[in-house]
mmCIF file of all heavy atoms in Angstrom:
data_model
loop_
_atom_site.group_PDB
_atom_site.id
_atom_site.type_symbol
_atom_site.label_atom_id
_atom_site.label_comp_id
_atom_site.label_asym_id
_atom_site.label_seq_id
_atom_site.Cartn_x
_atom_site.Cartn_y
_atom_site.Cartn_z
ATOM 1 N N GLY Z 1 119.666 -30.078 9.526
ATOM 2 C CA GLY Z 1 119.301 -28.681 9.370
ATOM 3 C C GLY Z 1 118.458 -28.134 10.501
ATOM 4 O O GLY Z 1 118.486 -26.920 10.758
ATOM 5 N N TYR Z 2 117.717 -28.991 11.200
ATOM 6 C CA TYR Z 2 116.844 -28.522 12.281
ATOM 7 C C TYR Z 2 117.648 -28.073 13.496
ATOM 8 O O TYR Z 2 117.119 -27.393 14.378
ATOM 9 C CB TYR Z 2 115.874 -29.635 12.676
ATOM 10 C CG TYR Z 2 114.631 -29.144 13.386
ATOM 11 C CD1 TYR Z 2 113.738 -28.276 12.760
ATOM 12 C CD2 TYR Z 2 114.333 -29.560 14.677
ATOM 13 C CE1 TYR Z 2 112.594 -27.830 13.411
ATOM 14 C CE2 TYR Z 2 113.189 -29.126 15.337
ATOM 15 C CZ TYR Z 2 112.325 -28.256 14.696
ATOM 16 O OH TYR Z 2 111.194 -27.810 15.341
ATOM 17 N N THR Z 3 118.939 -28.455 13.569
ATOM 18 C CA THR Z 3 119.778 -28.049 14.698
ATOM 19 C C THR Z 3 120.499 -26.725 14.449
ATOM 20 O O THR Z 3 121.156 -26.202 15.354
ATOM 21 C CB THR Z 3 120.837 -29.124 15.009
ATOM 22 O OG1 THR Z 3 121.752 -29.218 13.900
ATOM 23 C CG2 THR Z 3 120.193 -30.475 15.253
ATOM 24 N N VAL Z 4 120.385 -26.175 13.241
ATOM 25 C CA VAL Z 4 121.054 -24.913 12.929
ATOM 26 C C VAL Z 4 120.266 -23.767 13.568
ATOM 27 O O VAL Z 4 119.077 -23.596 13.285
ATOM 28 C CB VAL Z 4 121.160 -24.694 11.409
ATOM 29 C CG1 VAL Z 4 121.844 -23.358 11.108
ATOM 30 C CG2 VAL Z 4 121.912 -25.843 10.749
ATOM 31 N N PRO Z 5 120.893 -22.953 14.426
ATOM 32 C CA PRO Z 5 120.162 -21.859 15.065
ATOM 33 C C PRO Z 5 119.872 -20.729 14.084
ATOM 34 O O PRO Z 5 120.610 -20.512 13.123
ATOM 35 C CB PRO Z 5 121.112 -21.401 16.170
ATOM 36 C CG PRO Z 5 122.470 -21.809 15.702
ATOM 37 C CD PRO Z 5 122.277 -23.058 14.906
ATOM 38 N N ARG Z 6 118.811 -19.999 14.369
ATOM 39 C CA ARG Z 6 118.378 -18.941 13.458
ATOM 40 C C ARG Z 6 119.433 -17.862 13.272
ATOM 41 O O ARG Z 6 119.554 -17.276 12.201
ATOM 42 C CB ARG Z 6 117.072 -18.329 13.974
ATOM 43 C CG ARG Z 6 116.475 -17.280 13.023
ATOM 44 C CD ARG Z 6 115.250 -16.618 13.638
ATOM 45 N NE ARG Z 6 114.156 -17.564 13.782
ATOM 46 C CZ ARG Z 6 113.013 -17.270 14.408
ATOM 47 N NH1 ARG Z 6 112.843 -16.078 14.951
ATOM 48 N NH2 ARG Z 6 112.064 -18.171 14.503
ATOM 49 N N TRP Z 7 120.239 -17.592 14.308
ATOM 50 C CA TRP Z 7 121.228 -16.519 14.207
ATOM 51 C C TRP Z 7 122.289 -16.810 13.152
ATOM 52 O O TRP Z 7 122.963 -15.896 12.669
ATOM 53 C CB TRP Z 7 121.886 -16.240 15.557
ATOM 54 C CG TRP Z 7 122.660 -17.398 16.161
ATOM 55 C CD1 TRP Z 7 122.220 -18.270 17.110
ATOM 56 C CD2 TRP Z 7 124.012 -17.785 15.873
ATOM 57 N NE1 TRP Z 7 123.190 -19.187 17.432
ATOM 58 C CE2 TRP Z 7 124.304 -18.904 16.689
ATOM 59 C CE3 TRP Z 7 124.991 -17.297 15.016
ATOM 60 C CZ2 TRP Z 7 125.538 -19.550 16.662
ATOM 61 C CZ3 TRP Z 7 126.232 -17.939 14.977
ATOM 62 C CH2 TRP Z 7 126.494 -19.041 15.792
ATOM 63 N N MET Z 8 122.438 -18.090 12.761
ATOM 64 C CA MET Z 8 123.459 -18.433 11.772
ATOM 65 C C MET Z 8 122.920 -18.387 10.342
ATOM 66 O O MET Z 8 123.694 -18.422 9.380
ATOM 67 C CB MET Z 8 124.020 -19.817 12.091
ATOM 68 C CG MET Z 8 125.223 -20.202 11.261
ATOM 69 S SD MET Z 8 126.142 -21.581 11.952
ATOM 70 C CE MET Z 8 127.588 -20.726 12.577
ATOM 71 N N LYS Z 9 121.613 -18.281 10.179
ATOM 72 C CA LYS Z 9 120.991 -18.317 8.853
ATOM 73 C C LYS Z 9 121.523 -17.208 7.941
ATOM 74 O O LYS Z 9 121.857 -17.444 6.773
ATOM 75 C CB LYS Z 9 119.477 -18.204 9.013
ATOM 76 C CG LYS Z 9 118.675 -18.262 7.707
ATOM 77 C CD LYS Z 9 117.189 -18.100 8.034
ATOM 78 C CE LYS Z 9 116.338 -18.046 6.782
ATOM 79 N NZ LYS Z 9 116.206 -19.356 6.136
ATOM 80 N N LYS Z 10 121.633 -15.989 8.492
ATOM 81 C CA LYS Z 10 122.093 -14.862 7.681
ATOM 82 C C LYS Z 10 123.527 -15.074 7.211
ATOM 83 O O LYS Z 10 123.866 -14.775 6.053
ATOM 84 C CB LYS Z 10 121.986 -13.569 8.487
ATOM 85 C CG LYS Z 10 122.385 -12.326 7.709
ATOM 86 C CD LYS Z 10 122.215 -11.064 8.546
ATOM 87 C CE LYS Z 10 122.637 -9.827 7.760
ATOM 88 N NZ LYS Z 10 122.478 -8.584 8.567
ATOM 89 N N ASP Z 11 124.384 -15.595 8.097
ATOM 90 C CA ASP Z 11 125.778 -15.838 7.726
ATOM 91 C C ASP Z 11 125.872 -16.841 6.580
ATOM 92 O O ASP Z 11 126.683 -16.685 5.658
ATOM 93 C CB ASP Z 11 126.556 -16.372 8.928
ATOM 94 C CG ASP Z 11 126.843 -15.293 9.957
ATOM 95 O OD1 ASP Z 11 126.380 -14.156 9.757
ATOM 96 O OD2 ASP Z 11 127.522 -15.581 10.954
ATOM 97 N N ILE Z 12 125.044 -17.881 6.650
ATOM 98 C CA ILE Z 12 125.081 -18.925 5.621
ATOM 99 C C ILE Z 12 124.606 -18.374 4.277
ATOM 100 O O ILE Z 12 125.275 -18.533 3.244
ATOM 101 C CB ILE Z 12 124.210 -20.121 6.049
ATOM 102 C CG1 ILE Z 12 124.773 -20.769 7.320
ATOM 103 C CG2 ILE Z 12 124.108 -21.146 4.921
ATOM 104 C CD1 ILE Z 12 123.847 -21.780 7.951
ATOM 105 N N GLU Z 13 123.467 -17.725 4.286
ATOM 106 C CA GLU Z 13 122.851 -17.312 3.027
ATOM 107 C C GLU Z 13 123.496 -16.067 2.432
ATOM 108 O O GLU Z 13 123.319 -15.787 1.236
ATOM 109 C CB GLU Z 13 121.351 -17.107 3.250
ATOM 110 C CG GLU Z 13 120.645 -18.400 3.655
ATOM 111 C CD GLU Z 13 119.156 -18.228 3.886
ATOM 112 O OE1 GLU Z 13 118.628 -17.133 3.615
ATOM 113 O OE2 GLU Z 13 118.520 -19.195 4.361
ATOM 114 N N SER Z 14 124.264 -15.328 3.231
ATOM 115 C CA SER Z 14 124.916 -14.124 2.708
ATOM 116 C C SER Z 14 126.012 -14.449 1.696
ATOM 117 O O SER Z 14 126.446 -13.560 0.957
ATOM 118 C CB SER Z 14 125.515 -13.309 3.860
ATOM 119 O OG SER Z 14 126.591 -14.017 4.481
ATOM 120 N N ARG Z 15 126.433 -15.725 1.635
ATOM 121 C CA ARG Z 15 127.489 -16.080 0.690
ATOM 122 C C ARG Z 15 126.960 -16.274 -0.728
ATOM 123 O O ARG Z 15 127.739 -16.467 -1.669
ATOM 124 C CB ARG Z 15 128.223 -17.350 1.158
ATOM 125 C CG ARG Z 15 128.723 -17.282 2.583
ATOM 126 C CD ARG Z 15 129.552 -16.025 2.885
ATOM 127 N NE ARG Z 15 130.827 -16.017 2.208
ATOM 128 C CZ ARG Z 15 131.962 -16.522 2.695
ATOM 129 N NH1 ARG Z 15 131.949 -17.070 3.903
ATOM 130 N NH2 ARG Z 15 133.078 -16.464 2.021
ATOM 131 N N GLY Z 16 125.636 -16.260 -0.885
ATOM 132 C CA GLY Z 16 125.038 -16.283 -2.220
ATOM 133 C C GLY Z 16 125.056 -17.617 -2.926
ATOM 134 O O GLY Z 16 124.811 -17.681 -4.140
ATOM 135 N N LYS Z 17 125.313 -18.703 -2.225
ATOM 136 C CA LYS Z 17 125.383 -20.025 -2.849
ATOM 137 C C LYS Z 17 124.015 -20.711 -2.829
ATOM 138 O O LYS Z 17 123.181 -20.442 -1.960
ATOM 139 C CB LYS Z 17 126.388 -20.913 -2.105
ATOM 140 C CG LYS Z 17 127.761 -20.292 -1.924
ATOM 141 C CD LYS Z 17 128.455 -20.030 -3.234
ATOM 142 C CE LYS Z 17 129.850 -19.443 -3.009
ATOM 143 N NZ LYS Z 17 130.558 -19.164 -4.272
ATOM 144 N N LYS Z 18 123.791 -21.603 -3.794
ATOM 145 C CA LYS Z 18 122.625 -22.480 -3.712
ATOM 146 C C LYS Z 18 122.801 -23.398 -2.504
ATOM 147 O O LYS Z 18 123.913 -23.856 -2.207
ATOM 148 C CB LYS Z 18 122.493 -23.328 -4.982
ATOM 149 C CG LYS Z 18 121.980 -22.564 -6.203
ATOM 150 C CD LYS Z 18 120.503 -22.207 -6.016
ATOM 151 C CE LYS Z 18 119.914 -21.540 -7.253
ATOM 152 N NZ LYS Z 18 119.704 -22.465 -8.369
ATOM 153 N N ILE Z 19 121.684 -23.668 -1.821
ATOM 154 C CA ILE Z 19 121.742 -24.427 -0.575
ATOM 155 C C ILE Z 19 120.703 -25.542 -0.598
ATOM 156 O O ILE Z 19 119.549 -25.314 -0.968
ATOM 157 C CB ILE Z 19 121.466 -23.504 0.641
ATOM 158 C CG1 ILE Z 19 122.477 -22.352 0.687
ATOM 159 C CG2 ILE Z 19 121.506 -24.302 1.940
ATOM 160 C CD1 ILE Z 19 122.126 -21.281 1.703
ATOM 161 N N ILE Z 20 121.121 -26.736 -0.197
ATOM 162 C CA ILE Z 20 120.193 -27.846 0.031
ATOM 163 C C ILE Z 20 120.297 -28.224 1.506
ATOM 164 O O ILE Z 20 121.389 -28.461 2.025
ATOM 165 C CB ILE Z 20 120.518 -29.051 -0.862
ATOM 166 C CG1 ILE Z 20 120.233 -28.711 -2.324
ATOM 167 C CG2 ILE Z 20 119.712 -30.276 -0.434
ATOM 168 C CD1 ILE Z 20 120.503 -29.843 -3.285
ATOM 169 N N VAL Z 21 119.150 -28.245 2.171
ATOM 170 C CA VAL Z 21 119.092 -28.552 3.603
ATOM 171 C C VAL Z 21 118.263 -29.809 3.801
ATOM 172 O O VAL Z 21 117.150 -29.926 3.269
ATOM 173 C CB VAL Z 21 118.456 -27.389 4.398
ATOM 174 C CG1 VAL Z 21 118.447 -27.716 5.892
ATOM 175 C CG2 VAL Z 21 119.193 -26.085 4.145
ATOM 176 N N CYS Z 22 118.807 -30.755 4.567
ATOM 177 C CA CYS Z 22 118.022 -31.946 4.918
ATOM 178 C C CYS Z 22 118.146 -32.186 6.418
ATOM 179 O O CYS Z 22 118.972 -31.580 7.102
ATOM 180 C CB CYS Z 22 118.482 -33.161 4.124
ATOM 181 S SG CYS Z 22 120.128 -33.771 4.546
ATOM 182 N N GLY Z 23 117.321 -33.058 6.913
ATOM 183 C CA GLY Z 23 117.314 -33.358 8.337
ATOM 184 C C GLY Z 23 115.972 -33.922 8.745
ATOM 185 O O GLY Z 23 115.148 -34.286 7.896
ATOM 186 N N ASP Z 24 115.758 -34.003 10.033
ATOM 187 C CA ASP Z 24 114.519 -34.552 10.581
ATOM 188 C C ASP Z 24 113.945 -33.532 11.559
ATOM 189 O O ASP Z 24 114.481 -33.329 12.646
ATOM 190 C CB ASP Z 24 114.810 -35.876 11.296
ATOM 191 C CG ASP Z 24 113.552 -36.597 11.731
ATOM 192 O OD1 ASP Z 24 112.480 -35.952 11.762
ATOM 193 O OD2 ASP Z 24 113.629 -37.795 12.039
ATOM 194 N N ARG Z 25 112.850 -32.886 11.170
ATOM 195 C CA ARG Z 25 112.317 -31.830 12.022
ATOM 196 C C ARG Z 25 111.492 -32.356 13.189
ATOM 197 O O ARG Z 25 110.924 -31.568 13.936
ATOM 198 C CB ARG Z 25 111.505 -30.840 11.195
ATOM 199 C CG ARG Z 25 110.286 -31.373 10.497
ATOM 200 C CD ARG Z 25 109.632 -30.229 9.725
ATOM 201 N NE ARG Z 25 108.460 -30.639 8.973
ATOM 202 C CZ ARG Z 25 107.798 -29.820 8.159
ATOM 203 N NH1 ARG Z 25 108.210 -28.574 7.999
ATOM 204 N NH2 ARG Z 25 106.737 -30.240 7.507
ATOM 205 N N ASN Z 26 111.434 -33.664 13.359
ATOM 206 C CA ASN Z 26 110.820 -34.218 14.557
ATOM 207 C C ASN Z 26 111.808 -34.323 15.713
ATOM 208 O O ASN Z 26 111.426 -34.704 16.817
ATOM 209 C CB ASN Z 26 110.237 -35.601 14.257
ATOM 210 C CG ASN Z 26 108.981 -35.512 13.410
ATOM 211 O OD1 ASN Z 26 108.134 -34.655 13.636
ATOM 212 N ND2 ASN Z 26 108.874 -36.375 12.414
ATOM 213 N N GLN Z 27 113.088 -34.022 15.437
ATOM 214 C CA GLN Z 27 114.083 -34.072 16.499
ATOM 215 C C GLN Z 27 114.084 -32.763 17.286
ATOM 216 O O GLN Z 27 113.323 -31.850 17.012
ATOM 217 C CB GLN Z 27 115.450 -34.384 15.898
ATOM 218 C CG GLN Z 27 115.508 -35.762 15.256
ATOM 219 C CD GLN Z 27 116.904 -36.177 14.876
ATOM 220 O OE1 GLN Z 27 117.884 -35.610 15.327
ATOM 221 N NE2 GLN Z 27 117.006 -37.195 14.033
ATOM 222 N N LEU Z 28 114.984 -32.690 18.248
ATOM 223 C CA LEU Z 28 115.028 -31.526 19.135
ATOM 224 C C LEU Z 28 115.569 -30.301 18.402
ATOM 225 O O LEU Z 28 116.527 -30.414 17.632
ATOM 226 C CB LEU Z 28 115.913 -31.823 20.346
ATOM 227 C CG LEU Z 28 115.362 -32.842 21.345
ATOM 228 C CD1 LEU Z 28 116.453 -33.242 22.325
ATOM 229 C CD2 LEU Z 28 114.159 -32.276 22.093
#
């Protein structure tokens, strides 16, 4: 999830689905 750019956030969440995001925020 830490690699997902902010510009894509609106596209993802606009579909109205429940979302679970995982990842490692110590990465790039």
Side-chain angles (χ1 to χ4, degrees):
Y2 201 61
T3 66
V4 179
R6 185 185 293 174
W7 62 262
M8 188 163 253
K9 181 181 176 73
K10 183 178 179 180
D11 286 3
I12 296 169
E13 297 180 7
S14 67
R15 308 309 291 270
K17 308 297 182 180
K18 285 290 184 73
I19 302 170
I20 292 181
V21 182
C22 68
D24 188 344
R25 62 180 178 185
N26 287 318
Q27 296 190 16
L28 290 168

